[in-house]
Amino acid sequence: MAQLKKITKARTQRELERLVADDTERGWNVASRMNYISHDPRPYQILLKFNTEREQVSL
């Protein structure tokens, strides 16, 4: 299977760090640096990837 990708968004940098920590515990890997997009309601964003080739995952 291919890699799953998702963008995690947050209102503050601290909130994003907490969300990323939760996702990494669930097997997601950080795939980009944190981005700040000023015109977005949740301006702090980061890309995460989940490699499904190594593990047996049921969705």
Side-chain angles (χ1 to χ4, degrees), residues 6 17-30 48 50:
K6 75 174 183 174
E17 290 170 356
R18 184 184 53 80
L19 292 171
V20 169
D22 291 344
D23 286 337
T24 54
E25 288 178 7
R26 294 183 184 103
W28 288 89
N29 298 314
V30 175
L48 300 170
F50 190 87

Side-chain angles (χ1 to χ4, degrees), residues 27-43:
W28 288 89
N29 298 314
V30 175
S32 72
R33 59 185 176 90
M34 181 183 63
N35 293 318
Y36 180 81
I37 302 172
S38 60
H39 63 275
D40 195 287
R42 294 182 291 169

